[in-house]
């Protein structure tokens, strides 16, 4: 049974710069586009946007349209537009509505993803979201889209749904929806790190018993030291942002621990870096912050152990043009 190659990308807003830089390094080492190297690409939130962008078909409809560097430009060139607001809206959003309008984000998703549907993805694709009306996890996948035409959504719709981070962007509903229609928010609500979902969700001929090679990319972790005498005074408003950050980091860390217990280092590589508090914001699209995120990614890739293991992954992904084997240690 051939080894199934899985790429999983965390959520993290503008911090998607970090996995985008890793993906650029992989493409530089292999000479191939990411979607040509993996059987399945899974993503949550900003990772879901990256996953969708990596799987958009080019003019021949079989090869990927975008290189990882094209998607890095989504953050570097258009990040400020996406995360643009004004002080009145920022203040009002403490009590009512989202901090950012969805319009600029949707405009960029239209530009990058156009009218491409899930079923047209050039390799396996899995993107997470959470449906608030029924209170259930949603998985958008290429396989489901190919089997069920009613679930063959536009990629830009899926990318919008997975990135509807509570308090940052409004929830998403499909055009023409009524009051009973799905109300979709960021998949980070339950799977900010989608690696384990990608492995066990049985699609694209990947099963829990499959021989796998999983590369999991984080968007940076930030310590959140909070004193008891401070937290005990927080009410609903003051708890909102710290709680969201804790939920996202906690889920990512839990999934990382579980994957490390379930798979050995021959089959699983997690690349994650620690960020200073100054760079933790998911919506800081300033040139200075983006440069700092790029530097953090470069430093992570330059660490000898990370460099060695990532090189081994690239060798396995390109060995004889065949499906990747077990990761060298």
């Amino acid at each position: 049974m051939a080894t199934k190659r899985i790429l999983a990308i965390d959520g993290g807003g503008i911090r998607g710069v970090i996995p985008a830089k890793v993906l650029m390094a992989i493409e530089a080492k292999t000479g191939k586009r990411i979607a040509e190297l993996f059987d399945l690409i899974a993503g949550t939130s900003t990772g879901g946007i990256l996953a969708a962008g990596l799987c958009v078909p080019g003019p021949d409809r079989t090869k990927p349209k975008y290189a990882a560097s094209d998607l890095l430009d989504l953050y570097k060139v258009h990040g400020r537009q996406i995360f643009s607001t004004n002080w009145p809206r920022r203040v009002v959003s403490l009590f009512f509505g989202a901090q950012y309008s969805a319009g600029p984000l949707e405009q960029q998703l239209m530009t990058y993803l156009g009218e491409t549907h899930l079923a047209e993805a050039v390799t396996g694709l899995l993107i997470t979201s959470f449906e608030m009306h029924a209170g259930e996890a949603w998985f958008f996948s290429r396989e489901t889209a190919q089997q069920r035409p009613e679930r063959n959504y536009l990629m830009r719709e899926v990318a919008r749904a997975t990135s509807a981070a509570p308090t940052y962007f409004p929830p998403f509903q499909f055009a023409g929806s009524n009051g009973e229609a799905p109300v979709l928010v960021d998949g980070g609500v339950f799977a900010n790190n989608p690696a384990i979902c990608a492995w066990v969700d049985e699609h694209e001929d990947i099963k829990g018993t499959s021989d796998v090679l999983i590369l999991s990319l984080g968007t940076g972790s930030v310590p959140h030291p909070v004193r008891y005498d401070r937290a005990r005074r927080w009410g609903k408003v003051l708890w909102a942002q710290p709680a969201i950050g804790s939920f996202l980091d906690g889920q990512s860390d839990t999934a990382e621990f579980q994957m490390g217990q379930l798979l050995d280092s021959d089959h699983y590589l997690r690349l994650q870096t620690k960020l200073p508090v100054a760079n933790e914001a998911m919506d800081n699209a300033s040139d200075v912050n983006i440069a700092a995120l790029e530097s953090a990614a470069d430093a992570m890739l330059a660490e000898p152990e990370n460099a060695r293991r990532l090189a081994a992954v690239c060798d396995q992904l390109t060995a004889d043009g065949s499906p990747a084997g077990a990761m060298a240690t």
Side-chain angles (χ1 to χ4, degrees):
M1 180 172 61
T3 298
K4 295 296 182 179
R5 304 161 296 176
I6 300 172
L7 170 65
I9 312 172
D10 285 17
I14 200 69
R15 284 154 47 184
V17 165
I18 294 172
K21 289 282 288 186
V22 176
L23 297 172
M24 287 176 58
I26 293 172
E27 289 188 342
K29 289 177 181 295
T30 64
K32 292 187 176 183
R33 298 281 174 91
I34 295 299
E36 298 174 303
L37 298 169
F38 291 92
D39 299 297
L40 174 66
I41 301 176
T44 290
S45 194
T46 197
I49 293 175
L50 286 171
L54 293 167
C55 292
V56 172
D60 68 354
R61 313 310 295 170
T62 61
K63 294 186 179 298
K65 179 178 181 178
Y66 297 115
S69 58
D70 298 320
L71 300 178
L72 178 62
D73 284 344
L74 175 62
Y75 303 100
K76 296 181 68 173
V77 178
H78 305 292
R80 283 194 177 187
Q81 179 184 355
I82 292 170
F83 291 108
S84 175
T85 190
N86 53 50
W87 279 110
R89 180 167 185 147
R90 189 184 297 271
V91 172
V92 170
S93 69
L94 292 173
F95 306 95
F96 180 81
Q99 184 170 341
Y100 301 102
S101 166
L105 172 61
E106 291 175 351
Q107 180 181 351
Q108 294 306 320
L109 294 178
M110 171 65 83
T111 299
Y112 277 81
L113 306 178
E115 299 300 313
T116 304
H117 286 79
L118 269 175
E120 301 174 82
V122 295
T123 193
L125 180 62
L126 178 71
I127 295 176
T128 66
S129 186
F130 189 80
E131 206 281 281
M132 297 289 289
H133 187 74
E136 60 185 18
W138 269 43
F139 296 93
F140 296 98
S141 74
R142 181 182 74 165
E143 182 178 71
T144 299
Q146 291 175 340
Q147 296 175 352
R148 298 174 55 186
E150 75 276 11
R151 295 295 298 269
N152 188 20
Y153 302 107
L154 289 167
M155 279 194 186
R156 57 181 167 84
E157 295 176 323
V158 175
R160 171 69 174 86
T162 192
S163 59
T167 76
Y168 290 94
F169 293 105
F172 174 76
Q173 280 196 311
F174 296 105
S177 297
N178 58 36
E180 299 299 313
V183 179
L184 295 160
V185 298
D186 197 307
V189 168
F190 73 99
N192 198 54
N193 176 345
I196 200 164
C197 296
W199 181 30
V200 304
D201 193 49
E202 299 202 358
H203 46 75
E204 303 289 348
D205 296 323
I206 299 171
K207 303 185 182 300
T209 56
S210 295
D211 184 29
V212 294
L213 172 63
I214 300 178
L215 175 61
S216 175
L217 303 181
T219 58
S221 64
V222 184
H224 293 92
V226 177
R227 292 173 57 92
Y228 171 76
D229 58 357
R230 181 184 177 197
R232 65 188 289 270
R233 294 183 173 88
W234 287 348
K236 293 180 180 179
V237 172
L238 292 179
W239 260 111
Q241 289 302 116
I244 290 171
S246 297
F247 296 159
L248 299 181
D249 288 349
Q251 193 285 324
S252 291
D253 291 346
T254 299
E256 179 179 352
F257 172 78
Q258 291 170 333
M259 291 300 300
Q261 294 295 305
L262 294 167
L263 294 176
D264 60 28
S265 59
D266 289 337
H267 298 87
Y268 170 66
L269 173 60
R270 170 75 167 173
L271 289 179
Q272 178 68 299
T273 188
K274 292 189 180 300
L275 294 175
V277 173
N279 305 119
E280 79 167 319
M282 294 189 291
D283 57 348
N284 182 356
S286 68
D287 292 342
V288 171
N289 190 58
I290 288 177
L293 295 173
E294 289 191 87
S295 295
D298 290 339
M300 176 181 68
L301 291 169
E303 292 177 8
E305 180 64 8
N306 288 339
R308 183 181 68 81
R309 296 191 67 204
L310 186 60
V313 170
C314 292
D315 288 343
Q316 296 291 347
L317 292 174
T318 55
D320 302 322
S322 59
M327 187 190 314
T329 57

